Amino acid sequence: MKHVLFVLVALFCLLMAGCAPREVRYVVGVSQCSDDEWREQMNKEIRREALFYPGVKIDIRTAKDNNAQQIADIESLIGEGVNLLIVSPNEADAITPVIEKAYNKGIPVVLVDRKIRSDKYTAYVGADNYEIGRQVGSYIAERLQGKGNLVEVAGLKASTSALERHRGLMDALRETPDIKLIASADAAWLRVPAEKAFGDILSKFPDIDMVFAHNDRMAAGAYDAAVKQHREHDMLFVGIDALAGEG
């Protein structure tokens, strides 16, 4: 997914460099919803790619999981007159209007990783999150042999990636009604909230066979909670996104 994004940025930069004098500066605005290792690496590679195109400026803002901050960031980038806007929306409903505003002003908008509640964007670069959830659901059904208690530790539930992963999971499990989703918690994609949320779930449910976390960071947090209650060997943990050292 990252490589596709970099190709889009590179093509845009090349087009701008070829159509205008080198001294003219073109601004690519980037609005990240959060601040983690994966996004930090993406930011580094966007900046590195831009070095090949003199006159192109990269302006990256990080909302740190805050809708109001991301809206303010995008409003600022619009006011700055960016030529291209790259956005990973924090929550779809909240961020859709400001992205539509940018698009209606003629600014090309590339969505990364997460979507909005509208078709007013230029391109989407990301995984098929529904298919991710569906494949995890199929794996769970096979691993539990069609029967067991499942807990879901979800990403930010108003983000499209979390909604689609949950929907894919549930569709896959329709064929195995004896697998029960006994609890679900929103841990906002983060390890510490996942540890707390799953710790609360452990205190309420003595019989859990498997835990599905929407990313590896939350899977690690859930595992930490199980270790603290000496229950880590009672259940299996499934995470996705393959972060080094986690999951």
Side-chain angles (χ1 to χ4, degrees), residues 152-188:
E152 180 184 33
V153 182
L156 195 63
K157 286 189 175 179
S159 64
T160 58
S161 47
L163 291 168
E164 290 169 0
R165 291 179 186 188
H166 172 76
R167 185 164 56 89
L169 170 75
M170 299 310 294
D171 284 352
L173 294 180
R174 282 178 182 168
E175 302 299 320
T176 52
D178 288 333
I179 294 180
K180 308 295 185 183
L181 181 61
I182 60 173
S184 182
D186 183 343

Side-chain angles (χ1 to χ4, degrees), residues 63-86:
K64 298 186 182 298
D65 309 296
N66 184 293
N67 288 329
Q69 183 61 55
Q70 186 163 43
I71 292 168
D73 288 344
I74 295 172
E75 290 279 11
S76 176
L77 291 168
I78 293 171
E80 186 180 330
V82 295
N83 303 99
L84 173 69
L85 185 60
I86 299 170

